[in-house]
Amino acid sequence: MTDTSLTIDWQAWQTSWDRQQEWYMPDREERFRVMLEVVEAVAGPKPVVLDLACGPGSITARLLERLPGARSTALDLDPVLLSVAQGTFRDEHRVEFVTADLTDPRWPDALPRRPYDAVVTATALHWLTADALRVAYGRIAEVLREGGVFLNADHMRDDEAPRLNAALETHHAARKERELAAGAQDWRAWWTSVAQDPALAEQARRRFDLFGDPRQPKPGGDGRIREDRPVTTAWHLEALREAGFGEARRVWCSTSDAVLAALR
């Protein structure tokens, strides 16, 4: 952290990130609630948690609010989102940070501790290819204690009701258009704001070098599912069981997303 970082309103960036994500997922808080309820049910009131692909620390913030005795290891590679998380939790002894790339199978080597009681992640792993995700699921199983739980909240499709899916997609597309016209930020607009902030300009440059420029239109560049990525709940459940999890089930779903829980 630099001296300049101390003058940044990190909470404002946290809030704007939440609003941007809620434009895509208006029920985002409900899925966080379900995730943390499962963590508490399995690991009790003082879990040691790995927040995988933590972003700005959205899950960690809610974890510590719900379970004050919890500890979190927050892992990510994005320089901008890690800066926001580190700024937000700079005085928080219950949180430690790790910079690591989930596409590198050796990422668990960077962890300061193991095993964990729980591993949680949200709206992150859909960026991985099927092969990379299978490897990641195996590594996640390895860093969990026996009886520990993994929770993945992400874009997952259920193909059993195609007409209902089409109607819901049309309905939500109309909602998003209305909110966008009223001033809501989408993925591209949020990153444009980041790039225009002198205090985050260097982190933004490094982020764009790593992942590409999110201000430029491209497949998947606005936070939507990539067509070359695994998208169904059934695929994920099968992959989790193959990775060594004894049990795996869906514990929550919306029209476009699901939360899967897998027990080591």
Side-chain angles (χ1 to χ4, degrees):
M1 302 288 293
T2 65
D3 290 340
T4 303
S5 71
L6 298 176
T7 66
I8 299 175
D9 187 346
W10 297 113
Q11 189 55 55
W13 281 112
Q14 283 276 0
T15 300
S16 68
W17 173 264
D18 283 344
R19 298 295 87 77
Q20 176 256 132
Q21 289 287 286
E22 287 165 1
W23 181 71
Y24 293 99
M25 299 165 287
D27 41 22
R28 182 168 174 258
E29 289 298 330
E30 176 63 10
R31 68 178 186 162
F32 285 154
R33 184 195 66 77
V34 171
M35 292 176 73
L36 297 180
E37 185 170 281
V38 176
V39 170
E40 185 176 11
V42 172
K46 298 181 179 181
V48 179
V49 177
L50 172 59
D51 186 351
L52 200 64
C54 66
S58 299
I59 302 178
T60 288
R62 289 155 179 81
L63 170 71
L64 299 183
E65 182 178 1
R66 178 180 178 122
L67 302 174
R71 299 184 68 89
S72 174
T73 299
L75 180 152
D76 210 303
L77 185 63
D78 189 310
V80 170
L81 299 183
L82 267 178
S83 291
V84 175
Q86 289 169 327
T88 301
F89 299 107
R90 62 183 177 273
D91 298 320
E92 179 52 74
H93 70 279
R94 295 172 293 174
V95 183
E96 53 197 344
F97 292 95
V98 173
T99 301
D101 184 354
L102 293 183
T103 64
D104 183 344
R106 298 168 297 178
W107 63 262
D109 295 342
L111 296 175
R113 65 181 76 217
R114 66 174 74 183
Y116 287 88
D117 298 313
V119 177
V120 296
T121 190
T123 326
L125 300 189
H126 64 269
W127 293 107
L128 299 180
T129 64
D131 288 343
L133 189 52
R134 288 184 189 277
V135 172
Y137 279 166
R139 296 295 180 267
I140 291 166
E142 291 170 6
V143 304
L144 275 169
R145 66 167 171 81
E146 189 70 26
V149 66
F150 168 55
L151 288 143
N152 181 18
D154 213 336
H155 310 316
M156 298 179 201
R157 191 178 65 222
D158 186 333
D159 291 335
E160 294 181 0
R163 289 182 297 165
L164 183 57
N165 289 347
L168 289 166
E169 287 171 7
T170 299
H171 176 74
H172 288 299
R175 171 193 60 80
K176 289 165 69 178
E177 286 299 322
R178 291 194 303 270
E179 293 179 2
L180 202 62
Q185 277 191 323
D186 63 5
W187 178 257
R188 233 173 289 166
W190 192 85
W191 285 104
T192 298
S193 298
V194 169
Q196 292 172 346
D197 188 330
L200 290 173
E202 174 57 25
Q203 293 96 318
R205 183 194 62 76
R206 288 190 283 119
R207 195 271 180 199
F208 299 166
D209 287 344
L210 281 170
F211 303 113
D213 190 337
R215 297 170 296 176
Q216 303 302 319
K218 61 181 179 180
D222 61 354
R224 294 175 299 178
I225 268 185
R226 289 275 300 271
E227 291 301 321
D228 58 344
R229 301 301 195 251
V231 294
T232 65
T233 301
W235 185 96
H236 286 274
L237 290 173
E238 180 183 359
L240 286 165
R241 295 183 183 111
E242 290 176 354
F245 288 93
E247 297 180 10
R249 58 159 290 189
R250 183 173 63 187
V251 293
W252 178 90
C253 72
S254 69
T255 56
S256 61
D257 286 39
V259 177
L260 305 186
L263 208 61
R264 176 79 168 85

